[in-house]
Amino acid sequence: MAISIEELHKSYKDSKTTATETVKEIIATIDAEDKTINAYTEVFTDEALKQAELLDAKLAKGESIGLLEGIPISVKDAILIEGHKATASSRILEDYTATYDATVIQKLKKEGVIFMGKTNLDEFAMGASTENSAFGPTRNPTDTNRVPGGSSGGSAASVAANMAMISIGSDTGGSIRQPASLTGTVGLKPTYGRVSRFGLIAMASSLDQIGPFAHNVMDTAHILNIIEGKDSMDATSAELAANQLLDIESIRKADVKGLKVGIPKEYFIDGIDTEVKSAIDEIIEEYKKLGVEFVEVNLPHTQYAVPTYYIIMPAEVSTNLARFDGIRYGLSELEQSQDLQEVYKASRAKGFGNEPLRRIMLGTYVLSSGYYESYYGKAKQVQAMIRQDFTNVFKQVDAIITPTSPHTAFAIGEKVNNPVSMYLEDIFTVATNLAGIPGISVPTLSNAGLPIGFQLMTNHFQEQTLLTLANAIDNIRYARNNN
Ligand code: GLN
């Protein structure tokens, strides 16, 4: 399979490959690999093949096709596709079938992409390893004894193992960027509000954002270009100003000369693996050669980001997950119960795994009367300070660079029984969600061993700068691989 959208599009147009061949090749890879990797919760084999045939018929007639037509895409199983299951990798939604398309799905359907299936996640997107799935963990394609990161681990693994070209995931505290880093893929979390959340099963609505995984930065730009924009079904989605729209050609050129990038000293702490540190140092050196200027910056409230997130997020989780009551959706213990209270209790006890239960309890506690001000109220104040840190820094610099994760992929089982160490996985990614700014994880140029990603962040709606900077490294990678 060609590895970029543009390459696959070109080989369709030049009749170098057909959509049917492409889809068959992917299905063969899924058949061979996914018993072990477990990236997919459902594969749309027949539908994808049928769609491919239609596209091939169109190509045979010499009709012109759009850039995304026939691009094979997988979708995190927390995003609704009409007529397909949407389980959020939870028992409580195991038999739930979506009755409508998420806005991002509608938009991608219009472009004629081919959906390959739904991908595994940590239950309700709560986790950083995809081990919290009710349907078994996803494994990292680079080393199947290791996790792919999470919560969008199935998405990341599907792309990394060529079981899809693109995947659509969601990121509440790092769930796109951290798995991208651990699997050697590119993962983009757009600015809060840039992409509609309509049809995403909500985790923490004020932090959730949908974004793409891909093999390269240009692909994420092409996808963002389609899925972004104001949506009447999501009141928090934003109308983009003309100067916030993507200029694809300029991202391609990746002229980064004169851009100023901040290195926040709070992110380069003890505890980062030396291999991660040196891989990031190499990226910084490459940028310098391209004329990027680096300055040290301060994000003084960084140490409060994880604790703040683990108050605000569970508060929202506890309210969002109240809808799973055994009456309206999914698993129901109605028949076995004596009264309404018992339906709620029995359905929820049976349907939710440990991590959602833990967060629902924590969230209910921090929102309860007497504690609300000292926990939730306080956390919202600290969030404002974290946001202000970024506002201050973006007065001095165009972007910020950090590692995406302090280490490479860890072993399956290593952290699953220690929630605090799992929560610390988000140390470099959650502040972005709390501030609402965009972030991207891009593979470093280090080829040895396990994948290592670096993270770039910019101010709200500055994805143009984010992607331009990110693509500069992809261009170097491409030049190296083709020499
Ligand atoms: N790992 C984080 C958590 O467990 C982030 C998850 C996410 O972004 N959905 O909450």
Side-chain angles (χ1 to χ4, degrees), residues 76 125-128 150-151 171-175 203 309-310 313 359 426:
K76 186 178 188 175
M126 298 175 195
S151 65
D171 187 313
T172 306
S175 277
M203 176 184 171
Y309 171 79
Y310 278 92
M313 173 275 297
R359 296 189 193 201
D426 308 323

Side-chain angles (χ1 to χ4, degrees), residues 17-273:
T17 184
T18 64
T20 305
E21 278 164 10
T22 304
V23 168
K24 279 191 172 158
E25 191 181 327
I26 291 178
I27 289 169
T29 312
I30 295 172
D31 286 345
E33 309 285 343
D34 211 37
K35 271 186 218 64
T36 311
I37 294 175
N38 196 28
Y40 279 94
T41 51
E42 184 189 350
V43 183
F44 302 169
T45 309
D46 296 341
E47 233 172 281
L49 281 169
K50 202 175 289 160
Q51 236 189 307
E53 261 172 47
L54 290 175
L55 178 56
D56 287 336
K58 201 170 156 182
L59 283 163
K61 277 193 252 159
E63 285 177 35
S64 70
I65 61 162
L67 181 63
L68 293 191
E69 264 187 273
I71 300 298
I73 298 187
S74 67
V75 177
K76 186 178 188 175
D77 204 17
I79 298 172
L80 308 191
I81 301 182
E82 189 182 342
H84 285 282
K85 285 199 177 155
T87 67
S89 289
S90 179
R91 290 274 171 232
I92 210 159
L93 287 178
E94 193 169 1
D95 295 316
Y96 170 70
T97 299
T99 53
Y100 62 94
D101 282 331
T103 298
V104 292
I105 299 300
Q106 280 172 30
K107 289 186 170 199
L108 289 167
K109 272 188 179 170
K110 225 186 256 168
E111 299 300 313
V113 310
I114 298 180
F115 290 116
M116 295 305 306
K118 304 296 287 290
T119 54
N120 200 14
L121 61 145
D122 284 299
E123 186 172 356
F124 285 104
M126 298 175 195
S129 67
T130 319
E131 291 167 290
N132 293 339
S133 166
F135 311 124
T138 296
R139 292 171 180 271
N140 191 316
T142 313
D143 175 348
T144 53
N145 291 317
R146 292 176 190 269
V147 303
S151 65
S152 316
S155 284
S158 71
V159 172
N162 292 317
M163 298 191 284
M165 180 175 275
I166 304 290
S167 192
I168 305 297
S170 66
D171 187 313
T172 306
S175 277
I176 292 176
R177 291 159 291 153
Q178 184 256 16
S181 178
L182 270 43
T183 56
T185 53
V186 179
L188 168 69
K189 181 203 92 73
T191 303
Y192 183 76
R194 187 159 187 136
V195 176
S196 166
R197 293 177 294 107
F198 180 67
L200 166 67
I201 297 173
M203 176 184 171
S205 312
S206 77
L207 306 168
D208 297 343
Q209 188 60 194
I210 292 176
F213 286 89
H215 288 290
N216 58 69
V217 174
M218 284 303 289
D219 283 3
T220 63
H222 287 308
I223 297 295
L224 181 63
N225 215 9
I226 296 302
I227 63 176
E228 67 186 8
K230 178 77 186 159
D231 176 16
S232 59
M233 301 305 280
D234 174 3
T236 64
S237 67
E239 195 78 63
L240 294 167
N243 65 1
Q244 293 168 340
L245 295 173
L246 298 183
D247 173 350
I248 296 282
E249 288 318 308
S250 148
I251 295 171
R252 187 193 313 282
K253 277 189 222 123
D255 179 6
V256 293
K257 196 162 182 243
L259 287 176
K260 223 173 177 185
V261 175
I263 305 179
K265 64 168 197 276
E266 294 81 1
Y267 281 69
F268 289 83
I269 42 168
D270 291 342
I272 301 186
D273 282 1

